[in-house]
Amino acid sequence: MTAILDIDLLRTFHAVARIGKFSAAAEQLHKSPAAVSVHIQRLEAVAGGRLLNRDNQSVSLTALGKRLLQSTTALLSTHDRVLADLHGSHLAGRITLGVPDEYAGHVIRDILPTFIAAWPNVVLELKTAPSYALRDLVQRDKLHCAVIAQPKGQLDEHTQLLVATTPVWVGPINNNLAALEPLPLAVHAAQCPYRQAMIESLKHDGRRARVVLESPSNQAVKACVEAGLAISLIDRAMVTAHMQILDGLPLIADHDVVFMRSTASRDDEAVNLLAEAMQQYFRL
């Protein structure tokens, strides 16, 4: 009998790969951890090998898992677009969406085109700003929804987990700026959780620092680090080949990237569909 790729199994696999933990993926999918494990086992039987390396803390993709993730992303997108075309292309509305600069490229390039193709009568308006500024706008009903980063453990009825992140200190390759006193920093704009984590952790450790760059642009912060001018704090998944992860600096707790919606848009169908698209396709 010819093997068949089950869409539900693939969706579970993508959630685990994106989030990196079975328990958090199960919570997002509204399934039990045991059900998620069964889905992965069934998909591994179809794929012909192990898709995930697992330990007590997290999971990572095997080579086969990376191939499957890459080759099925478009498949899931096409599947959802076809269903939308069959059952819901009449949906219309307007969504104001906020996205921090560091995630804007991914959201704009990899998620929104598929959503717009599926729901052509939904008008999207985007705003980029630091996470806490966007959070304030959503809480005041100035935005329908936003993607924001926040310290782990702050999920509530207004937020849905997209992916967990591990912030790391980074500096330029072959340049030990972490030994300098005071530390040269490239910091994100005010109301960014990473800026707050950087400053508070260094203050707690009694390390002196000076700000070389303050910018709302994630690309400017990265460029400053790569040029050897400063160190900074970024998501581990965003470390480039021109950076090195630094030891000897304060450990920063994991953060969550979440989809947050305003009270006024809680029952908005278009926002609900955008939330689903974000959960399915958001990854670092």
Side-chain angles (χ1 to χ4, degrees):
M1 180 178 177
T2 304
I4 297 175
L5 283 172
D6 185 297
I7 292 294
D8 198 28
L9 302 187
L10 285 175
R11 206 176 297 287
T12 297
F13 167 66
H14 276 250
V16 174
R18 180 178 67 250
I19 297 172
K21 294 184 179 180
F22 270 67
S23 57
E27 181 180 349
Q28 183 185 100
L29 295 167
H30 305 293
K31 301 180 187 295
S32 69
V36 170
S37 294
V38 169
H39 275 204
I40 297 301
Q41 290 168 7
R42 288 171 57 189
L43 188 59
E44 287 178 335
V46 174
R50 182 174 291 277
L51 299 172
L52 301 167
N53 297 311
R54 315 171 205 191
D55 59 35
N56 292 331
Q57 299 298 321
S58 62
V59 299
S60 60
L61 292 169
T62 64
L64 180 61
K66 291 178 181 178
R67 284 171 50 203
L68 183 66
L69 184 72
Q70 182 176 13
S71 61
T72 56
T73 297
L75 174 63
L76 280 179
S77 176
T78 301
H79 170 272
D80 293 343
R81 188 164 58 248
V82 169
L83 283 182
D85 184 58
L86 291 173
H87 300 295
S89 59
H90 64 280
L91 180 70
R94 170 177 166 268
I95 300 175
T96 53
L97 169 67
V99 186
D101 178 75
E102 56 264 45
Y103 307 121
H106 172 43
V107 170
I108 293 170
R109 181 181 59 250
D110 303 324
I111 300 176
L112 295 186
T114 299
F115 179 83
I116 292 170
W119 313 104
N121 296 321
V122 175
V123 176
L124 276 173
E125 298 176 7
L126 304 180
K127 178 180 180 64
T128 61
S131 286
Y132 291 161
L134 294 174
R135 181 183 63 184
D136 180 64
L137 290 171
V138 173
Q139 290 174 337
R140 293 191 291 117
D141 289 330
K142 300 297 184 180
L143 289 174
H144 291 117
C145 51
V147 174
I148 68 171
Q150 63 183 28
K152 185 169 288 294
Q154 296 185 2
L155 290 174
D156 58 26
E157 61 180 339
H158 299 290
T159 54
Q160 297 167 259
L161 177 66
L162 299 178
V163 68
T165 70
T166 301
V168 292
W169 293 95
V170 292
I173 292 291
N174 300 323
N175 195 333
N176 189 19
L177 295 183
L180 297 179
E181 187 74 18
L183 286 169
L185 300 181
V187 300
H188 305 272
Q191 296 187 289
C192 171
Y194 283 7
R195 173 197 176 107
Q196 182 175 317
M198 290 171 67
I199 293 173
E200 289 182 355
S201 65
L202 291 173
K203 182 177 180 180
H204 183 268
D205 269 27
R207 295 291 303 269
R208 293 193 305 117
R210 63 183 181 89
V211 175
V212 174
L213 170 75
E214 178 180 7
S215 174
S217 168
N218 189 56
Q219 292 304 314
V221 170
K222 285 185 175 181
C224 191
V225 172
E226 292 177 339
L229 301 179
I231 66 173
S232 192
L233 190 73
I234 67 172
D235 291 327
R236 180 181 289 273
M238 294 185 177
V239 177
T240 72
H242 302 289
M243 299 176 183
Q244 61 177 331
I245 296 175
L246 302 174
D247 297 320
L249 291 169
L251 290 178
I252 307 296
D254 283 355
H255 282 54
D256 289 331
V257 181
V258 304
F259 183 84
M260 181 180 186
R261 66 180 68 208
S262 67
T263 302
S265 67
R266 183 179 302 179
D267 298 320
D268 188 299
E269 185 179 0
V271 174
N272 289 341
L273 290 167
L274 180 59
E276 291 178 10
M278 290 288 185
Q279 284 192 311
Q280 290 171 21
Y281 303 116
F282 199 98
R283 60 192 183 280
L284 295 181

